[in-house]
Amino acid sequence: MYLATIGRREHSSKGKLSAVGANVFALGAVSLVTDVSSEMVTAVLPVYLVLGLHLSPAAYGLVDGLYTGATALLRIVGGYVADRVRRRKVVAGTGYALSAVMKLGLLAAGSSAAAIGAVITLDRTGKGLRTAPRDALITLSAPEPLLGRAFGVHRAMDSMGAFAGPLVALAVLAAVGAANPEAFDAVFVVSFCVAAIGVLLLVLFVRDHRTPRPASPVSPRAAAALLRGSGVRRLLVAACVLGLATVGDGFVYLLLQHKEDIATGWFPLLAVGTNLSYLLLAAPLGALADRVGRLPVVLGGYGALALVYLLLAGPVSGWPLFVLSLALYGAFYAATDGVLMALAGPLLPESLRTTGISLVQTAQALAYFASSVLFGLAWQFWGPGLAIGVAAGGAVVAIAVTFVVLSPRKVAA
């Protein structure tokens, strides 16, 4: 079903974009501003923790896993509550507001690794609450044949913010002075102010999509019944496998910094390169997924990720390493982030759309948590070269397993 193509009729580019719907663009604007805030912190956090607070690779792996995976179960809670009360905007807004406040929490945490871990957990709690309701709103705001394009447009706007965030962080560090002990505090304060603007945009411009009250009420039993569908079960298995193949942005950038010994002040620019590639490719790859099938595009994205790992483990160095690895890393995100959700949407009933999407996201986030912790341990005990080589092999295996698990005939059955 999700492999069905469009394109039997000619449409202008303008017509295709307008068919995506104003609500998708409003959600994209919220994500754009919010990502400026979050990527300001994400861009400086690895260097702040590893070079500033001198955390070991294993300790950083635990914190990085917390950043994405430790609150994964709350995605299910947020998804279920949003379907139960049929107020997806309210649940998403709560998540956005919590993440905004936690930017100030980083100030209070100081240099305590435990406190930073707690603040990061609460920040990711906010992301866990908002992501599934937001993505469900996208699937309910655009026609099914255009879901790939809708997610591509949203992720392109999202990546505009992700592109700008590290630049803003770099500007703040330059203004305050990268060597100034107060420099990171300034980044956190500016990040909070930007996040607050994102919450305001959500309140003012995003419309909730109140689906008709289902004949049978949304209940834990109804949510559990989703797992009886073969297509949903296979999608969850694939999400876990793909999550295990992802070591995370922080490790990729730290490996680049370790290999090329770049200055601390330039570290945020690594995320800028990735997000520029993501920005340029998100919408075209989303449209391509609608035409040729979403599974091939997702698998191609993980192929790009495997190439990034091989570049980091190989002999390539200098500017070719930076250009190739960051371009491919951005292509990986553009081909997988929104496209996987577009692939999941048609398999899920409207009344449980948010719950189903949160199940997929939770499976992937828990697997990512395990991957991040294991990679941190592998780096510490085996060294970075062997660790990233094993990760490259794991990505290739994940592509093969996902192809088998999500073959169109099996999912359709």
Side-chain angles (χ1 to χ4, degrees):
M1 173 165 28
Y2 62 84
L3 293 173
T5 61
I6 60 173
R8 285 190 163 62
R9 292 183 300 169
E10 293 295 325
H11 300 279
S12 68
S13 298
K14 182 177 179 180
K16 290 175 181 178
L17 289 177
S18 63
V20 163
N23 216 35
V24 173
F25 284 96
L27 287 163
V30 174
S31 291
L32 189 158
V33 174
T34 301
D35 250 35
V36 172
S37 168
S38 61
E39 290 299 323
M40 286 179 65
V41 175
T42 301
V44 301
L45 199 59
V47 70
Y48 175 58
L49 295 175
V50 175
L51 302 183
L53 302 185
H54 305 292
L55 292 189
S56 67
Y60 174 73
L62 179 60
V63 173
D64 187 57
L66 285 172
Y67 198 69
T68 299
T71 59
L73 294 178
L74 283 169
R75 296 171 186 254
I76 298 178
V77 174
Y80 174 76
V81 170
D83 281 336
R84 177 81 177 183
V85 302
R86 297 184 300 126
R87 293 183 181 273
R88 298 174 178 89
K89 176 180 172 178
V90 172
V91 176
T94 301
Y96 279 111
L98 179 59
S99 292
V101 172
M102 284 306 107
K103 302 301 186 293
L104 294 180
L106 288 169
L107 290 175
S111 60
S112 169
I116 289 173
V119 170
I120 286 173
T121 299
L122 288 173
D123 178 82
R124 296 300 90 181
T125 297
K127 183 174 178 62
L129 288 175
R130 74 180 185 245
T131 303
R134 180 203 67 198
D135 285 350
L137 280 173
I138 294 173
T139 68
L140 295 169
S141 301
E144 183 179 312
L146 296 179
L147 282 182
R149 182 174 282 106
F151 275 100
V153 167
H154 174 269
R155 295 314 199 253
M157 297 181 71
D158 183 277
S159 61
M160 288 180 193
F163 174 76
L167 293 177
V168 176
L170 190 64
V172 173
L173 290 175
V176 178
N180 190 325
E182 306 297 322
F184 289 108
D185 289 351
V187 171
F188 300 150
V189 170
V190 174
S191 174
F192 163 74
C193 296
V194 175
I197 295 174
V199 175
L200 184 62
L201 289 176
L202 178 81
V203 172
L204 294 178
F205 297 107
V206 172
R207 293 179 293 103
D208 209 345
H209 191 102
R210 300 292 299 276
T211 52
R213 189 177 297 277
S216 57
V218 175
S219 65
R221 177 178 295 182
L226 287 173
L227 299 178
R228 290 202 288 267
S230 174
V232 175
R233 289 200 308 271
R234 290 178 176 278
L235 192 60
L236 290 176
V237 170
C240 286
V241 171
L242 295 174
L244 286 171
T246 309
V247 303
D249 298 359
F251 276 124
V252 170
Y253 301 148
L254 284 171
L255 284 164
L256 277 170
Q257 196 274 341
H258 175 81
K259 190 171 183 178
E260 295 298 316
D261 195 27
I262 62 173
T264 300
W266 295 107
F267 190 86
L269 290 181
L270 298 178
V272 172
T274 295
N275 291 321
L276 176 61
S277 175
Y278 188 0
L279 167 63
L280 295 175
L281 295 175
L285 288 179
L288 179 66
D290 286 335
R291 289 197 301 272
V292 305
R294 290 158 194 166
L295 179 60
V297 173
V298 169
L299 295 181
Y302 277 90
L305 180 64
L307 290 176
V308 171
Y309 295 163
L310 290 173
L311 284 169
L312 292 172
V316 180
S317 62
W319 68 264
L321 174 65
F322 287 105
V323 172
L324 290 173
S325 58
L326 296 180
L328 287 169
Y329 203 44
F332 154 67
Y333 276 118
T336 59
D337 188 18
V339 178
L340 186 62
M341 295 303 102
L343 189 153
L347 297 175
L348 303 165
E350 280 195 10
S351 61
L352 289 168
R353 182 71 55 86
T354 319
T355 303
I357 287 177
S358 69
L359 283 171
V360 176
Q361 292 173 343
T362 296
Q364 195 166 29
L366 287 174
Y368 173 84
F369 174 74
S371 173
S372 188
V373 172
L374 291 173
F375 186 81
L377 291 170
W379 183 343
Q380 182 157 337
F381 292 106
W382 297 347
L386 180 56
I388 198 65
V390 171
V396 173
V397 171
I399 292 170
V401 171
T402 302
F403 176 76
V404 173
V405 170
L406 291 184
S407 62
R409 289 184 180 180
K410 292 181 179 178
V411 175

